[in-house]
Amino acid sequence: MSIRIKLLLSYTGMLVISLVMFALTAILITVAITGDIHSLKDFYKVHYQLNPLTEQEESIFLELKSIAKKNPDQLLDKDLLEEYDFKLRIEQAALYVRREKETLFKSYTFHQPNMDHALPDYDLNNNQIRNTFNVDERFYSYAKYDFSFSDGQRGSVFVIRERSPFGEMTRRLLPILLVLLAGVLILANLLLYRWITKTVVNRLNLLRDSANHIKDGNLNFKLELCEKDEIGQLNEAFESMRLRLQESVDLRFHYEENRKELISNISHDLRTPITTIKGYVEGIRDGVADTPEKMERYVHMIYSKAVDLDRLVDELFLYSKLDLKQVPFNFQQVDMRRFLEDCMEELSYDLESKGIHLEWDLNKDEPVEVMLDLEKMKRVILNIIMNAVQYMDKSEKSIQLSLHSDHESVTVEIKDNGIGIPKEAISHIFERFYRAEPSRNSASGGSGLGLAIARQIIDGHGGEIWASSEQGKGTSLFFRLNKARPKERTSNETNLDH
Ligand SMILES: Nc1ncnc2c1ncn2[C@@H]1O[C@H](COP(=O)(O)OP(=O)(O)O)[C@@H](O)[C@H]1O
Ligand SMILES: [Mg+2]
């Protein structure tokens, strides 16, 4: 529910409750004053406050009064009295006439034996002719007129109307009822206040606390989303902001860690050849290389270390440029088979001189067109083959190259029969600076960047690279590339034609 509706509801609620309370109070006060719930409609007629009878009853009473004034003895006539009583009974009142202590007429509607005693005494001045009285829990209002009969005896004529006992009760309980009403009003107000506080203010406070957390740099909390109202939406926006912030903080942390690790790796890898070079140079300077053969060996070592260094710096440079996506890829459409054949031909002499048997099974049927950056893809093949050579421990050395293509993609496998890679290392070999056995490999000059570079390049081609290996038996490196789409093919073919 939206806050606007909540506020509207709460104000409307308060208004309705106030109105109801007001109406109830008015009714209760009216009942307390008039003593009758039926007389409510007459409440605002001022004369009625002074007059306990209704208008019709009053007019009958006035008739009786004038008879009593002018011709009091007529009131001894039972039929006449019956007639008036009948008229009064229609109006829900009744007649009572007395002479001295004796009851001359008492309407049969009064079932009150004690009524005679409850009635007021004679007052021939007729000072108070309208009033109320109680008989046994019952409540009556009346108008009376005192007069003298012709024989001088005193008489009274009463028009009496019974009021609801509820009126009397209300009259007694009025203060309690009013306090009760005020209590209900206050309670309703409190409940509405609590509702608004709980659904609006508390949640806003929570939001403020969260903002303070963020200000203090603490992002590890969660905002509970309970409702979908305006505050809920605010919470949601806030929560997604927090998540974003946390992500970016994490990422920054990750980058920072990466940078530190990279620097430490680089300094470590550079230091090793430099220390060696320094050692040999010192040897020459101190005259340790005192024969031309020794000197030549020293110089050769220095040279080969410098070459290692050069290669390492080169790889680092390439890797960091690839990492920063600063190297543009020059894609060309080529037949993957032709490309691999060219690579193998280039490498075969070198490999065979190392006693490695190179086989390739490229299934010559049809060309497999792919988009390649030739120079970079050559680097991939070279890095993989260099590893195969580097991690070879068998006397019969062999490297096999094969190609499988399906409808969408082409997969190249380069398989060797070298030392293999431990299972737990396989998932890491594409990470930069990772070496399965650092101690041994550093001696052979590997930087741990070869496969990381290969992966960057394959990624740049939109392909994927992976390895499978059996320790002691050999390793297979695979990479898969998407085939060039037919549309690309035709456009490129026309390009080549020109
Ligand atoms: N053909 C392979 N046979 C055995 N181990 C391999 C092979 N290729 C890669 N590895 C393992 O993967 C690690 C990472 O390879 P690479 O990134 O080229 O770094 P390196 O500079 O050490 O060759 C190597 O150190 C080696 O342990
Ligand atoms: Mg390598």
Side-chain angles (χ1 to χ4, degrees):
M1 203 191 292
S2 79
I3 297 177
R4 228 171 333 144
I5 294 179
K6 270 180 204 161
L7 285 178
L8 192 75
L9 272 184
S10 119
Y11 288 137
T12 319
M14 216 45 236
L15 198 74
V16 169
I17 292 171
S18 304
L19 285 177
V20 170
M21 291 293 124
F22 179 77
L24 272 176
T25 315
I27 290 172
L28 286 177
I29 289 178
T30 313
V31 170
I33 289 174
T34 64
D36 191 353
I37 204 150
H38 303 295
S39 311
L40 268 183
K41 62 177 189 295
D42 296 320
F43 179 58
Y44 291 105
K45 296 182 185 168
V46 179
H47 78 268
Y48 188 69
Q49 288 176 352
L50 307 167
N51 198 330
L53 303 181
T54 62
E55 260 174 72
Q56 288 85 345
E57 289 160 2
E58 188 70 22
S59 72
I60 297 168
F61 170 68
L62 289 177
E63 270 178 44
L64 285 164
K65 189 176 154 189
S66 87
I67 293 173
K69 256 187 194 168
K70 292 177 193 155
N71 202 353
D73 289 348
Q74 266 195 353
L75 292 178
L76 297 169
D77 178 355
K78 235 190 161 87
D79 292 339
L80 183 80
L81 295 179
E82 279 290 359
E83 201 179 302
Y84 274 109
D85 184 45
F86 177 71
K87 278 193 209 164
L88 282 171
R89 281 201 319 263
I90 294 173
E91 302 297 332
Q92 289 180 338
L95 185 64
Y96 185 96
V97 184
R98 70 180 174 190
R99 185 162 73 168
E100 293 298 338
K101 296 269 177 246
E102 166 201 5
T103 303
L104 274 184
F105 182 87
K106 183 177 175 184
S107 172
Y108 72 89
T109 51
F110 297 127
H111 310 291
Q112 290 292 343
N114 295 330
M115 184 181 262
D116 307 351
H117 310 294
L119 289 174
D121 254 350
Y122 288 102
D123 166 26
L124 288 173
N125 294 328
N126 284 312
N127 281 329
Q128 190 172 27
I129 60 171
R130 296 176 177 88
N131 210 340
T132 59
F133 65 93
N134 280 44
V135 184
D136 302 340
E137 297 297 306
R138 301 187 81 151
F139 178 58
Y140 299 89
S141 63
Y142 65 86
K144 74 154 183 168
Y145 185 70
D146 292 334
F147 57 92
S148 300
F149 285 100
S150 55
D151 56 5
Q153 283 196 313
R154 290 174 299 176
S156 300
V157 56
F158 287 86
V159 172
I160 301 176
R161 181 184 169 101
E162 183 173 4
R163 299 295 181 186
S164 139
F166 178 67
E168 180 66 353
M169 191 189 75
T170 309
R171 203 181 298 210
R172 280 205 207 125
L173 294 181
L174 190 65
I176 299 173
L177 289 176
L178 286 181
V179 168
L180 211 71
L181 290 187
V184 168
L185 213 65
I186 291 169
L187 193 75
N189 208 335
L190 275 179
L191 286 178
L192 286 174
Y193 173 76
R194 254 200 64 177
W195 183 50
I196 291 288
T197 314
K198 204 176 138 212
T199 55
V200 178
V201 183
N202 286 356
R203 286 161 66 214
L204 280 178
N205 285 345
L206 202 75
L207 210 61
R208 186 200 53 212
D209 292 346
S210 311
N212 282 338
H213 277 313
I214 291 185
K215 195 180 75 193
D216 298 340
N218 170 20
L219 293 168
N220 279 326
F221 61 89
K222 190 163 164 38
L223 268 176
E224 297 302 331
L225 309 171
C226 20
E227 274 185 72
K228 279 266 171 192
D229 60 3
E230 290 93 332
I231 298 183
Q233 287 161 12
L234 193 64
N235 262 1
E236 216 172 78
F238 202 84
E239 178 66 6
S240 73
M241 181 189 81
R242 183 190 69 81
L243 286 177
R244 275 289 175 80
L245 268 175
Q246 196 168 29
E247 257 169 39
S248 83
V249 167
D250 287 352
L251 201 69
R252 218 180 55 202
F253 181 74
H254 183 70
Y255 277 153
E256 186 63 16
E257 286 296 295
N258 253 2
R259 200 180 57 84
K260 281 187 199 152
E261 189 195 302
L262 195 68
I263 289 177
S264 102
N265 283 330
I266 291 172
S267 15
H268 176 264
D269 279 36
L270 291 179
R271 187 179 294 135
T272 325
I274 287 174
T275 316
T276 322
I277 289 174
K278 233 171 82 186
Y280 283 113
V281 169
E282 272 168 9
I284 293 173
R285 195 187 60 189
D286 297 347
V288 179
D290 47 5
T291 61
E293 294 81 43
K294 265 194 186 171
M295 182 63 112
E296 201 192 317
R297 204 159 52 90
Y298 273 41
V299 171
H300 176 76
M301 287 308 286
I302 292 171
Y303 177 75
S304 85
K305 287 293 156 188
V307 168
D308 280 353
L309 251 181
D310 189 41
R311 208 193 57 225
L312 178 62
V313 171
D314 213 42
E315 281 188 338
L316 259 175
F317 192 54
L318 177 64
Y319 174 80
S320 81
K321 276 206 302 189
L322 283 168
D323 200 28
L324 294 170
K325 313 247 178 297
Q326 277 180 352
V327 201
F329 281 74
N330 302 313
F331 289 111
Q332 289 178 37
Q333 180 147 1
V334 287
D335 174 10
M336 191 69 182
R337 277 197 195 94
R338 288 268 313 271
F339 167 75
L340 288 175
E341 265 171 7
D342 289 350
C343 287
M344 291 304 113
E345 267 161 26
E346 252 178 61
L347 286 169
S348 62
Y349 177 75
D350 214 24
L351 292 178
E352 262 151 40
S353 71
K354 287 178 179 157
I356 295 173
H357 181 60
L358 186 65
E359 276 176 52
W360 68 86
D361 163 27
L362 297 175
N363 192 356
K364 285 216 163 122
D365 293 348
E366 57 174 286
V368 183
E369 298 285 329
V370 283
M371 301 297 290
L372 292 186
D373 178 322
L374 297 180
E375 204 184 315
K376 295 198 180 66
M377 194 50 79
K378 233 176 228 173
R379 181 87 189 218
V380 172
I381 307 283
L382 198 70
N383 283 2
I384 295 173
I385 299 228
M386 258 163 49
N387 280 349
V389 174
Q390 212 170 355
Y391 305 107
M392 180 68 74
D393 61 347
K394 310 283 185 312
S395 51
E396 266 192 32
K397 306 165 183 179
S398 101
I399 296 178
Q400 289 172 333
L401 192 105
S402 55
L403 182 144
H404 317 274
S405 83
D406 62 24
H407 208 63
E408 300 251 293
S409 60
V410 50
T411 306
V412 176
E413 178 184 357
I414 301 173
K415 183 176 177 185
D416 65 52
N417 63 342
I419 60 172
I421 307 171
K423 244 198 183 107
E424 62 280 4
I426 283 195
S427 55
H428 298 291
I429 58 171
F430 298 100
E431 290 168 13
R432 63 180 185 210
F433 296 116
Y434 182 84
R435 294 166 192 140
E437 287 171 75
S439 53
R440 191 174 57 193
N441 294 352
S442 55
S444 58
S447 63
L449 283 172
L451 290 182
I453 289 173
R455 189 179 64 179
Q456 296 268 32
I457 293 173
I458 296 292
D459 280 354
H461 280 77
E464 52 182 335
I465 184 166
W466 70 99
S468 78
S469 179
E470 208 175 319
Q471 226 179 335
K473 284 200 173 163
T475 305
S476 281
L477 255 290
F478 302 86
F479 62 87
R480 177 165 52 223
L481 298 173
N482 287 331
K483 278 184 175 173
R485 274 180 257 134
K487 218 175 168 188
E488 283 175 283
R489 271 178 222 171
T490 40
S491 69
N492 257 45
E493 268 162 19
T494 42
N495 280 351
L496 287 175
D497 289 345
H498 286 293

